[in-house]
Amino acid sequence: MSKDLEVASRYATAIFQVAEEKNQIHEFGEELSAIKQALIENEDFVKLLENPTLTTEQKKNLAGSVFKDVNETLRDFIFLLIDRGREDYLIAIADLYKERVNDLEGIAEADVYSVIPLSDQEKESLSAVFAKKLDKKKLHIHNHVDKSLIGGVRVVIGTRIYDDSLKTKLKNMERQIKA
């Protein structure tokens, strides 16, 4: 684990524990997702927040005005990150927090690549099959269209890859013929 990821993980664990104590795990998760989305969509704000010429107080005032509707505990958490010069970890913290919530609920995230968009029924079917394989209750499927697969699907769950695409089958067949 890289040092940056390790630092973000400690902060994510800390805010998750606070959310558990306050019995607000899902509320914190929703707000952290909204904060992450806001940061992704507003690069100029992120640049300002990470600008070394701004003082800590200026950054906190800026963040306070942008995140004025955020839960007070989360706003204080953002201020703590700014105080410690860790505001650039906020997106990673939001991602790691979501992982902890998913672990708690027995959910895994999956990227599924297919030639055409999958129907809801196909997503449910894949979710059921792979959730069982991973000993999870459910899979959140993020479908990506990849025409180069020719047919079939490639499922990526964490570091695991299940490739049942026609492209891979043809490559394997080609290797066998050449051998």
Side-chain angles (χ1 to χ4, degrees), residues 9 13 15 24 30 61-63 77 83 85 106 114 125 157 165 170:
S9 180
T13 299
I15 196 64
Q24 293 182 310
E30 289 171 10
N61 288 337
L62 182 65
F77 177 70
D83 283 337
S114 58
S125 177
I157 306 168
S165 66
L170 289 171

Side-chain angles (χ1 to χ4, degrees), residues 54-177:
L54 290 179
T55 67
T56 301
E57 281 309 308
Q58 288 173 320
K59 290 180 181 183
K60 285 165 76 171
N61 288 337
L62 182 65
S65 64
V66 170
F67 299 121
K68 64 182 177 284
D69 296 330
V70 171
N71 175 307
E72 187 178 342
T73 305
L74 279 176
R75 197 170 45 250
D76 289 344
F77 177 70
I78 293 168
F79 292 163
L80 173 75
L81 292 173
I82 292 169
D83 283 337
R84 296 192 176 166
R86 306 281 195 196
E87 57 273 7
D88 54 331
Y89 288 89
L90 202 46
I91 291 174
I93 291 167
D95 289 339
L96 291 164
Y97 183 94
K98 184 176 182 180
E99 283 180 26
R100 281 169 178 69
V101 172
N102 284 348
D103 285 345
L104 183 70
E105 296 178 342
I107 297 172
E109 299 287 328
D111 289 303
V112 178
Y113 299 86
S114 58
V115 177
I116 58 172
L118 298 174
S119 69
D120 289 339
Q121 185 178 357
E122 289 168 324
K123 288 179 187 178
E124 286 297 319
S125 177
L126 278 171
S127 176
V129 168
F130 283 96
K132 196 175 210 178
K133 280 185 179 193
L134 297 170
D135 200 27
K136 298 283 184 183
K137 292 179 186 171
K138 185 177 173 184
L139 233 62
H140 283 163
I141 293 183
H142 309 282
N143 189 206
H144 309 278
V145 175
D146 182 356
K147 302 265 186 213
S148 73
L149 295 178
I150 304 169
V153 295
R154 187 172 75 236
V155 180
V156 180
I157 306 168
T159 57
R160 295 182 181 141
I161 299 173
Y162 302 91
D163 195 340
D164 193 36
S165 66
L166 193 52
K167 178 180 177 180
T168 299
K169 287 179 181 179
L170 289 171
K171 281 184 181 179
N172 290 341
M173 196 181 302
E174 179 183 31
R175 273 191 220 112
Q176 288 176 350
I177 291 171

Side-chain angles (χ1 to χ4, degrees), residues 10-23 97:
R10 284 195 304 256
Y11 281 106
T13 299
I15 196 64
F16 185 81
Q17 288 171 344
V18 170
E20 264 185 321
E21 289 169 12
K22 292 181 172 266
N23 204 20
Y97 183 94

